[in-house]
Amino acid sequence: MHESAGQLKDVEKRLADRSEQLEQVNKELEHLVELKDRFLSLATHDIRTPITTMKLAVTVLESKLPDDVRSSVRKPLDILQRNLARVEGKIEEYRLITRLGLDRLHLTFGPVDLNACVQDAIACYFPGAISRGIDLDAELDDIPPMRGDAARIGQLTRELIESSLERIEQGQRILVRTEFANDGAWIRVTDNGPVMPEEDTRDLLDGLDRFVPTRQTRVPIFAAHQIASAHGGCLEIKSDEHTGTTFSAWLPSAPPEDSEVHT
Amino acid sequence: MSATTIVRPDSVVNSTESEHLSQQLQQAIEAGSAIVVVDCSNVEYINSSGMGAIMQTYMDLSERGGDLRLVAPNEFVRKTFEAVGILSFLETYDSVDEAAGSEIKNS
């Protein structure tokens, strides 16, 4: 009897040890997945800049060539442009993958200069805005130093800008603003594209908790929502014919401690 | 084609000012300037249209053997030009005199 009780205790102890080991392995795996997501997110962002430079280099090269030479190198230039577009397409695919991983978002908090994050994000879209003939503008309020995940706040701003970019055409305008309010700050992106019917706005916001990538607009909005929520903030969409359509995210000056992850 | 034109945009190049800048740059090209110096020392912010106008002018001048030069862009303007990729082609200078006096390079 004593022997059986001893064996049972031994089994229980081994189970508890194994359970602890599994928990540890699980934590390590979660950390690795987070590192992979963060790497993909930052890498795709960083690769965009040299791609943009290469595209511009091709355009400049073309403009410098005499007409007879230009026609003789037309084919290799086309190949170069096509392949750059292909790489760009791949980057977008990888970005989509990182966005889909945002439901398990972890943040690394530190001091944040919000306007610097927003300016960096705007600069990313200048090449696209220039080539599409879109006016991309900014009005930045004085924002006191904040706390948050600077890389993710940059991504949040880019997602808001993309939400607008997808809706507008040549000759239209996007205005990015920051506003200090309610012990936090708003990042607002307004476009003068078509007015969104109220039911579409409601549908878009309602769908954020059960993300289904069926409409293109939902990908950036979903990503923005996840990042704002992880900071203890929120997302807002307003659309009317007088002020245009505004995608806004509010972030607290200092996010709640429980959403903080130290790595 | 030998003249140098110096263009001094306002501190904030927004939608309104970018049109003005675009006109000034266009006039410089039409006047036959070989070198256009854009003095950014007072520029705090430039929007996409303003940057597009500068890029277009650079390409138009390049085609004709001319050059566009930037003077004293602040950190934001420099970063924005870097993001667009144009700093790989454009020379930046500390002063207008330096920019206007430098010879055209065949890059």
Side-chain angles (χ1 to χ4, degrees):
Chain A
M1 186 72 179
H2 281 299
E3 201 180 326
S4 303
Q7 281 173 339
L8 189 63
K9 269 194 175 173
D10 187 41
V11 170
E12 277 177 351
K13 187 179 178 309
R14 276 193 286 165
L15 273 174
D17 287 349
R18 186 52 62 93
S19 172
E20 201 176 305
Q21 280 172 359
L22 280 173
E23 207 171 302
Q24 188 58 35
V25 170
N26 199 33
K27 272 186 189 165
E28 283 169 17
L29 281 173
E30 275 180 5
H31 180 58
L32 287 172
V33 169
E34 164 60 13
L35 284 179
K36 183 261 297 174
D37 286 349
R38 183 168 282 270
F39 169 76
L40 266 179
S41 172
L42 295 177
T44 48
H45 173 52
D46 288 345
I47 292 169
R48 275 178 144 192
T49 305
I51 295 288
T52 306
T53 308
M54 284 189 270
K55 282 174 71 181
L56 181 65
V58 174
T59 313
V60 170
L61 183 65
E62 257 190 298
S63 73
K64 282 182 177 251
L65 293 173
D67 287 346
D68 54 331
V69 179
R70 193 180 302 156
S71 58
S72 67
V73 294
R74 184 71 268 161
K75 202 174 171 187
L77 282 178
D78 282 348
I79 292 171
L80 196 54
Q81 274 170 330
R82 238 189 352 260
N83 279 283
L84 284 171
R86 203 173 143 206
V87 175
E88 248 187 340
K90 284 287 164 199
I91 291 171
E92 283 312 305
E93 279 178 31
Y94 297 144
R95 289 187 69 225
L96 178 64
I97 293 168
T98 64
R99 286 152 154 185
L100 295 174
L102 285 169
D103 56 346
R104 51 170 188 273
L105 184 68
H106 295 289
L107 304 174
T108 307
F109 287 171
V112 170
D113 177 345
L114 187 77
N115 284 342
C117 290
V118 169
Q119 282 178 339
D120 281 350
I122 294 170
C124 292
Y125 290 94
F126 268 38
I130 291 166
S131 64
R132 284 178 60 189
I134 287 167
D135 209 0
L136 179 53
D137 235 321
E139 286 174 8
L140 307 180
D141 203 356
D142 285 334
I143 308 289
M146 295 174 64
R147 200 166 159 71
D149 186 322
R152 291 297 188 185
I153 291 174
Q155 184 186 355
L156 163 63
T157 311
R158 295 195 297 275
E159 304 293 1
L160 295 176
I161 294 171
E162 283 200 14
S163 301
S164 274
L165 271 174
E166 284 167 358
R167 300 168 15 81
I168 61 172
E169 293 168 358
Q170 185 174 7
Q172 292 189 302
R173 183 180 189 224
I174 293 178
L175 175 63
V176 183
R177 289 170 293 153
T178 55
E179 288 170 22
F180 182 63
N182 303 326
D183 201 23
W186 284 100
I187 305 168
R188 297 192 193 275
V189 178
T190 302
D191 65 68
N192 59 353
V195 174
M196 283 173 74
E198 208 181 318
E199 59 268 28
D200 279 11
T201 312
R202 208 173 36 238
D203 182 39
L204 202 56
L205 288 168
D206 286 349
L208 293 176
D209 293 325
R210 44 184 169 75
F211 174 65
V212 183
T214 50
R215 286 171 50 179
Q216 206 187 4
T217 321
R218 283 195 173 164
V219 179
I221 281 297
F222 170 77
H225 166 72
Q226 295 298 93
I227 297 168
S229 300
H231 278 84
C234 61
L235 201 72
E236 194 181 88
I237 305 171
K238 282 184 179 166
S239 187
D240 65 65
E241 58 183 308
H242 303 295
T243 53
T245 299
T246 304
F247 299 92
S248 307
W250 179 81
L251 299 171
S253 295
E257 288 296 315
D258 59 2
S259 62
E260 195 157 350
V261 174
H262 301 278
T263 54
Chain B
M1 182 159 148
S2 59
T4 297
T5 301
I6 297 158
V7 175
R8 292 191 168 87
D10 280 358
S11 62
V12 175
V13 183
N14 53 19
S15 303
T16 320
E17 177 55 22
S18 63
E19 265 181 51
H20 181 219
L21 174 63
S22 182
Q23 282 167 6
Q24 284 180 296
L25 294 169
Q26 191 56 39
Q27 279 166 8
I29 287 181
E30 283 166 7
S33 298
I35 297 173
V36 174
V37 175
V38 181
D39 180 4
C40 298
S41 54
N42 286 324
V43 179
E44 290 167 11
Y45 171 78
I46 184 162
N47 74 352
S48 60
S49 302
M51 192 148 298
I54 289 176
M55 279 173 61
Q56 190 56 55
T57 306
Y58 168 69
M59 285 192 271
D60 289 347
L61 284 168
S62 290
E63 215 168 331
R64 300 159 50 178
D67 199 11
L68 185 143
R69 292 156 184 189
L70 289 180
V71 173
N74 74 5
E75 201 192 337
F76 171 69
V77 175
R78 180 179 285 278
K79 264 188 183 177
T80 312
F81 275 108
E82 264 170 12
V84 174
I86 201 164
L87 279 193
S88 311
F89 311 100
L90 281 185
E91 294 277 342
T92 60
Y93 297 82
D94 293 333
S95 71
V96 170
D97 286 347
E98 198 188 333
S102 177
E103 286 193 8
I104 298 175
K105 288 178 193 165
N106 287 319
S107 52

